[in-house]
Amino acid sequence: MDGSDLEAIKAQLGGVGGGSGANGKGKGDNGEMSKQEEQRQTMLTQILTPDALLRLRQMAIVKQEKVRGVEDMLIRMARMNQIREKVTEDKLKEMLVQISVEHDKETTIVYSRKGYDDSDDDVEYDFE
């Protein structure tokens, strides 16, 4: 990405604000929301290569929450000048794997199984 692309992204990011603050106000102005979403999509097309953008769109069909989080992360990175060039599909895959690993660490499953040879079962069912 050259300097003019970065400046265009910075200008668009400045117009978006925080994103989450507008959702909490409950104005009901669909025009403003669609305008922000349009700006968001424009930024993503400037940040991502066409292949990476296609992969992100395909993932959005199945996992909208995860894709939204990745999009937010990409926009934040662009805002903080951490993205020096367009994000390729391979780089996007690495980011998704990293997010998945971090998310998997939080999940724990605990199984509580009842023993088969429990003497209390006989009392409940009075088999005599």
Side-chain angles (χ1 to χ4, degrees):
M1 294 171 84
D2 61 357
S4 62
D5 288 341
L6 288 173
E7 293 303 319
I9 291 171
K10 286 180 189 177
Q12 289 177 351
L13 287 172
V16 170
S20 62
N23 293 339
K25 292 181 182 177
K27 291 182 179 178
D29 188 12
N30 290 335
E32 182 179 325
M33 295 294 279
S34 64
K35 183 179 178 184
Q36 288 179 352
E37 189 62 30
E38 184 179 323
Q39 287 177 343
R40 179 183 183 86
Q41 296 306 319
T42 302
M43 288 183 281
L44 288 171
T45 56
Q46 291 177 350
I47 294 170
L48 299 168
T49 62
D51 292 336
L53 188 60
L54 178 64
R55 177 169 291 273
L56 206 60
R57 299 274 187 263
Q58 290 173 345
M59 281 185 53
I61 295 170
V62 179
K63 299 181 179 183
Q64 291 179 341
E65 302 84 28
K66 191 172 198 175
V67 169
R68 189 69 173 194
V70 171
E71 289 175 349
D72 290 341
M73 184 175 67
L74 287 167
I75 291 172
R76 266 194 314 268
M77 289 173 68
R79 185 177 289 156
M80 291 190 247
N81 294 329
Q82 293 178 349
I83 298 178
R84 301 286 181 220
E85 56 188 24
K86 284 194 171 196
V87 176
T88 63
E89 184 178 5
D90 293 332
K91 180 65 176 172
L92 182 65
K93 286 180 188 177
E94 290 174 13
M95 294 170 80
L96 291 168
V97 167
Q98 181 182 5
I99 290 171
S100 294
V101 168
E102 290 174 4
H103 179 62
D104 290 343
K105 289 180 182 178
E106 297 173 6
T107 304
T108 57
I109 299 173
V110 178
Y111 290 103
S112 297
R113 295 186 181 194
K114 189 173 183 180
Y116 288 107
D117 192 17
D118 193 4
S119 63
D120 293 340
D121 289 342
D122 296 338
V123 176
E124 289 181 32
Y125 296 112
D126 194 22
F127 289 119
E128 294 180 19

